[in-house]
Amino acid sequence: MFKGALPGFRDFYPQELAERAYVMTTWREVARRYAFVEYDGPPLEPLELYTRKSGDEIVGQLYNFVDKGDREVALRPEMTPTVARMVAARANALRKPVRWFSMPQLFRYERQQKGRLREHFQLNVDIFGSSDVAADAELAACAVDIMRAFGLTSRDVVVRVSDRRLLHAYLSSLGVPDSAIEGVHQVIDKLQRTPHDVSAERLRALDVPAEAVEQIVHIAELTLDEIRSRLTGSAAENAEEFARYMEYVAVLLGGDDSWLSLDLSIVRGLAYYTGIVFELFDRSGEFRAICGGGRYDSLLASLGGADLPALGFGMGDVVLSELLRAKGLMRASVAGADVWIAAEESTPLTAVMAEAARRRADGQSVEYALRPQSLSKQKKAAQASGAREFVTLSNTDARHG
RNA sequence: GUGACUGUAGCUCAAUUGGUUAGAGCACCGGACUGUGGCUCCGGGGGUUGCGGGUUCAAUUCCCGUCAGUCACCCCA
C-alpha cells in the first residue's frame, strides 16, 4: 500500500503546484529585471564535489549512493559547487561580471522539521568577477525586490546584514584571539535563541576575555558608528565600504532604507564567506530565515578553478511559501478552462467535440462533459471547474457542426 | 542520530470510566428540483481506527514495538 511520499518529500497536487509555479515565476521575473540570466546543472553530482569543500562529515547530510558504474554520487544539496565548476570551466570566455541565477531542486538527508524538508526548490542568484560592494548591493536589492513582488513590505521582512571582516576586526579589538574566532562565531550564530548567560558561559570557555564577553553577548545591537569607533587601518576602510554598501542598497530600492538592519550576529553557517553576509527574516520571528547569502571571494580558487571574486544568495520555496500563506499573499489557484461547451442532452456528443476541436485549434482551452447530460448538470460542472465562459450549442450549431 | 508530543473517511473532528454493525459536517459521485452566479432535497461510494504484537470475555480506548507526522536538539545549502 502506497501512502504518501517519502519523508520530507512533497506531492504537488494542482493547487500546490500552482503555488510553486507562482513563487518560481515571480523569482524568475525579478531576477530578469536585474539582468540575471538563467542556467542549470545536473541534479546528481560526484560525491567528491561536496566532500572536497566541506569534508567527509557532510556525507551524513547528503542523499548519496553508489551508482551502477561504481561511482560515488549524491543528489545536489546546494548549487554553489556546481555553478563554481561551470564558471571556472569557462572563466576566461565569460563576460564579466557574470550574473547568473538558477532554481534547482536541492536535497538533504536529515530529519524534517518546520520549514526544512529533505527536498526543496531554491532560487540561487550569483555574481562572479566583481569585488565592489555595488555587486553586494545588487544582490540585497534583488532579494528585497522579490519580497516586494510578493506584496511583502519592510514591516513584514527585515534584511539583517553583517560583514565577516568587520566582525573579525571588532572581535580582535576586544582581545579575542584568532584561534577562538571559529568557536565564537558558533556562539554568536546562536545568540538569538540562547539565553545570554549560557552564551556568556560558552564564550568564557573559549578563553574570551571577561570584559569582551559582555560586549559579544550584545553584539547584535551595535550601530555602525559604534563599531567604526573601535577600528583603525584597513578595518576602518571596511567600515567605510560597508557604509557605502548600505547607501547603494537604499538607492537601488528607490531611496527606501527601511529594509536593512546591521546585525553582526548574522554569521551564516558556512565557513567560506569572506565579506558582507545577509539573511532575510520575517519581522515576527515566527519562521526560519527566508533567504541567506554573502560574498565568498576565495571559494572558486579553493575549488581549483579560476580566482574570481564571487557572491550570491539562496532563497528556498518552503519558508517563503509558509510566510506568504500566513500573510494571505499566496495568490495562486488552479486555472480553469477558457470555455466550457454545453449542449442539450439530445445533441450528439460529436457536435460538441467538433466545436471543441475548432476552438482548441484556435488556441483556446476547452472542456465539456464527456457524456450527454442535462444542461443544469453541465452548468454546475462548468462552474465547479472554474471555466471562464459557458457556451451552449444550439441545435442549429449542432447540425452545422 | 537524540528527545517530547501525536496518529479514527480526502479534510476537520466525534464515539459516554474498555462494551453491539466506528458516526457527523465539508468534499466527492448519482438523482431530483430551481431559468441563473455555485440554492434546496434525496441517495451513494469511501475507514482491517497507521502497522504488528500483548493484556482482556471484549481494545479506537490500556501496554510494548515499529512506521509516520509535529516540534525541539544536532546541522544548516
Side-chain angles (χ1 to χ4, degrees), chain A residues 234-252:
Chain A
S234 67
E237 284 173 32
N238 289 337
E240 295 312 315
E241 267 196 4
F242 191 86
R244 197 152 56 85
Y245 164 78
M246 297 287 269
E247 181 197 351
Y248 285 174
V249 176
V251 172
L252 286 169

Side-chain angles (χ1 to χ4, degrees), chain A residues 17-26 149-150 324 329-332:
Chain A
L17 186 64
E19 294 178 354
R20 178 177 121 191
Y22 170 64
V23 167
M24 293 178 82
T25 56
T26 303
F150 284 114
L324 292 177
L329 292 171
M330 185 57 93
R331 309 207 190 291

Side-chain angles (χ1 to χ4, degrees), chain A residues 356-388:
Chain A
R358 214 168 50 73
R359 289 173 178 263
R360 284 170 174 167
D362 193 40
Q364 292 181 52
S365 162
V366 181
E367 189 172 357
Y368 59 91
L370 296 178
R371 60 172 191 182
Q373 284 181 320
S374 70
L375 272 177
S376 69
K377 196 80 183 164
Q378 294 177 66
K379 182 128 198 167
K380 267 184 194 169
Q383 283 168 347
S385 79
R388 276 187 285 285

